[in-house]
Each structure stands twice: as C-alpha cells, then as structure tokens.
Amino acid sequence: MYKIVFMRHGESTWNLENRFTGWTDVDLTEKGVAEAKAAGKVLKDEGYTFDLAYTSVLKRAIRTLWLTLDEMDMMYLPIKHDWRLNERHYGALQGLDKAETAAKYGDAQVLVWRRSYDTPPEPLAEDDERTSYNDPRYAGLPKSSIPLTECLKDTVARVMPAWDEEIAPAIRAGKKIIISAHGNSLRALIKMLDGISDSDIVGLNIPNGQPLVYELDADLKPIRHYYLGDPAAIAAAQAAVANQGKAK
Ligand SMILES: O=C(O)[C@H](O)COP(=O)(O)O
C-alpha cells in the first residue's frame, strides 16, 4: 500500500479578497502562513515523513510547502516544481470579485464557471497584460501550452501527464510524496484517481492548507482517503469555499 499527501495552499491574499485567481501569482495571507505551519505540525505529530515534494510554479503553493516542511524540520527535501500543477487558469475572470460576479451574472452562471467540467470562462485576449506569455517561468513552453482560459477538463489534460510521467513512477519507486498545489489542480487529479463523474465533481471543494491523505493499492487505485485535522473544521472550510461564488 502506498500513501500520498495532497495539500491545497494556505489562504492567499486573493482568497481573502474573494477574487478569481487562477495563474495570478499572489502570496499567502498571515492566516495562510498559519495554516501551512499548522499542516506541518499535524503531519509531524502524526509521524509523516517524505522523500520528495511536488509543487506548482506559483508562490502560494511553493511557500505553503516551504512552511510545512520547515515545521517538519524537512527543508532538505528535494522539491520538483511543475507548471502542470498550477491552478486552473480562470481566463478573463482572473482578478474579478467572485461575489460581485455572481451578483452580475447570477449564482448559477458562476457555479458553471467555477465547477462545471467542460465550460471554460471567457478567455483572456492574446494582448491582455494578464497573459503569461512573457513570464520567464514559462519561457521553455510552446505558446500553445500556455492557457488563456481553462475548464476543469483542460486542467485534467495537463495535470494527468505530470501524474503519469513523473509522480506515479516516483510512487512506484517507493518515494513518499507530498504535493502542494491548488483547489482545482487537485480536483482534476482527484477526479481521475477516484473516477468521479463529470456531474459529481461539481460538489467537490478542497479547503486551504489541510493535508489530504490518499492510500493507494499496488495499481495506484485509491483504497481510502481522509483529511488530517478536525473533521468539523474541514467540513466548514469546504462549505465556505463552495459559498465563495454566491452573491452576498
Ligand atoms: O483560482 C482561484 O480563484 C481559487 O484558487 C480557486 O477558486 P474556485 O474555488 O473559485 O474555483
């Protein structure tokens, strides 16, 4: 049996401001820092150790990983940064207030943009200053790989090669792994691992900064999964994420 730990980054400044974030590279809030340290403490207290960590190229996930590993006294751990673990690209919604957008377009439309499997938000225009075309961290990528918007299906299409080519072979080689990533890149991964239907994935929300353990069989099929930490607090945090896209 293998075990892997997934974790969404701690609260970011745009989580606090309730803005669609996507590929925007915002940092953690003080609460987010505290969540990342608390995640490290619970992992340490529960006796977890790792051989390897994966994260995105966005600082909210990277800093969460650093703080978690610092708390575990494991800052020596090799870290692989992979752009394919980035948050789902939120297209032209990036930067907008989620509740204001719901007030303007309706809760149902915002739920489609946030949680439908195959309906992406409007894309950024090619010449929009918010595109990632000139960002040095994506310099090695063909322009066609740099999204202007994504639905979850698009995110699955980039996350799964990272899983199949990098992460799954490392698990099979016996490496104990932690992945610090994002709400929707983790939803994409979990959808594929657990075989969640396109309609049921709408109801899956990942709270900030809570270690989520997956136990996998020899074929890397999930046996069971559970969050470490207080179940009531985690359920409340998941409900809060679900409610972010509703008009106030
Ligand atoms: O990109 C974002 O805005 C968040 O990290 C995830 O947002 P969501 O829960 O609205 O999809």
Side-chain angles (χ1 to χ4, degrees):
M1 195 258 292
Y2 301 110
K3 259 188 193 183
I4 184 164
V5 174
F6 300 126
M7 191 165 61
R8 183 183 180 193
H9 59 83
E11 183 192 68
S12 74
T13 55
W14 280 18
N15 290 149
L16 178 63
E17 293 171 23
N18 204 23
R19 291 177 194 276
F20 291 102
T21 314
W23 280 36
T24 316
D25 195 17
V26 296
D27 211 336
L28 299 180
T29 62
E30 272 180 36
K31 182 181 172 190
V33 167
E35 286 169 337
K37 289 181 181 173
K41 183 165 184 333
V42 74
L43 284 164
K44 190 176 177 187
D45 290 349
E46 299 273 338
Y48 282 77
T49 60
F50 301 107
D51 305 306
L52 178 60
Y54 286 88
T55 188
S56 70
V57 294
L58 296 171
K59 72 179 73 154
R60 57 194 188 275
I62 297 169
R63 198 179 304 285
T64 296
L65 181 62
W66 288 355
L67 291 163
T68 300
L69 294 180
D70 191 8
E71 193 67 29
M72 299 179 78
D73 199 17
M74 293 187 71
M75 291 195 80
Y76 60 86
L77 208 71
I79 297 176
K80 293 197 174 180
H81 299 87
D82 195 323
W83 69 275
R84 296 173 295 184
L85 295 173
N86 273 13
E87 182 54 292
R88 176 165 73 94
H89 197 289
Y90 249 122
L93 295 178
Q94 289 190 175
L96 300 185
D97 183 294
K98 293 178 188 178
E100 282 174 18
T101 306
K104 190 167 172 188
Y105 297 99
D107 288 2
Q109 178 61 66
V110 168
L111 185 64
V112 168
W113 285 329
R114 292 183 77 211
R115 293 290 176 264
S116 74
Y117 187 53
D118 51 13
T119 307
E122 276 297 298
L124 290 174
E126 289 266 347
D127 60 354
D128 191 304
E129 61 181 17
R130 292 172 292 169
T131 74
S132 300
Y133 290 153
N134 297 319
D135 188 324
R137 82 194 83 187
Y138 308 111
L141 292 179
K143 201 174 173 187
S144 57
S145 294
I146 300 177
L148 295 167
T149 189
E150 285 183 318
C151 57
L152 192 66
K153 192 176 179 182
D154 299 323
T155 310
V156 165
R158 68 166 155 87
V159 169
M160 289 318 289
W163 176 264
D164 293 335
E165 294 160 15
E166 296 275 339
I167 303 167
I171 298 171
R172 286 198 184 93
K175 301 268 188 228
K176 293 191 289 289
I177 291 173
I178 181 168
I179 300 182
S180 175
H182 302 265
N184 293 303
S185 54
L186 290 174
R187 289 176 69 244
L189 195 47
I190 288 167
K191 182 182 191 300
M192 300 314 282
L193 283 181
D194 276 332
I196 300 173
S197 70
D198 298 0
S199 53
D200 285 350
I201 195 62
V202 174
L204 180 70
N205 287 289
I206 313 276
N208 291 103
Q210 305 291 339
L212 171 59
V213 181
Y214 263 74
E215 295 180 1
L216 308 172
D217 70 13
D219 297 322
L220 305 191
K221 298 279 172 259
I223 301 165
R224 64 184 191 126
H225 63 266
Y226 42 91
Y227 283 98
L228 302 179
D230 174 28
I234 287 159
Q238 286 176 303
V241 174
N243 285 329
Q244 281 165 356
K246 295 183 181 158
K248 293 252 155 40

